[in-house]
Amino acid sequence: QVQVVESGGGSVQAGGSLRLSCAASGSILRLDNMGWYRQAPGNQRELVAVINTVGYADYAGSVQGRFTIARDNAKKTIYLQLNSLQPEDSAVYYCNAVAFTTRLERLEVWGQGTLVTVSR
């Protein structure tokens, strides 16, 4: 009913930048919070950044000041600008969205993930 699809991952050298996008689609009445999580091999999935409907954002301490989350409600899309990337930022980045459907259901959906690899 509702899907989110990420794009924009890739490989960069330390200090480089990437921009991730996540577009939601389907039987969406309204989107609530949307965010980015990441999971490195052997680690648990962790919150990177989350943004609410009016643009208030919250970040993990490890990315504060380097990553910026943004939202375009008209496009049902969020973005994550990753600057000053470090090898420890390497992970699969997942988009998460809370959506209210046209059937008045509340769903939490995850994307398939996009890989970010940062080399020294």
Side-chain angles (χ1 to χ4, degrees), residues 9-72:
S11 298
V12 297
Q13 291 188 326
S17 297
L18 285 172
R19 187 186 192 223
L20 308 183
S21 299
C22 168
S25 63
S27 304
I28 299 171
L29 182 64
R30 181 173 66 87
L31 286 167
D32 202 339
N33 286 1
M34 299 181 71
W36 292 95
Y37 291 71
R38 67 185 181 186
Q39 187 169 18
N43 290 355
Q44 291 187 332
R45 191 173 297 189
E46 61 177 1
L47 174 68
V48 176
V50 63
I51 187 166
N52 70 6
T53 56
V54 294
Y56 177 82
D58 198 14
Y59 298 90
S62 59
V63 307
Q64 184 83 40
R66 299 188 298 124
F67 293 6
T68 302
I69 190 170
R71 178 170 182 153
D72 186 330

Side-chain angles (χ1 to χ4, degrees), residues 75-87:
K75 294 182 178 179
K76 298 184 177 66
T77 298
I78 61 169
Y79 307 92
L80 187 68
Q81 179 67 39
L82 298 77
N83 295 331
S84 301
L85 281 162
Q86 299 301 315

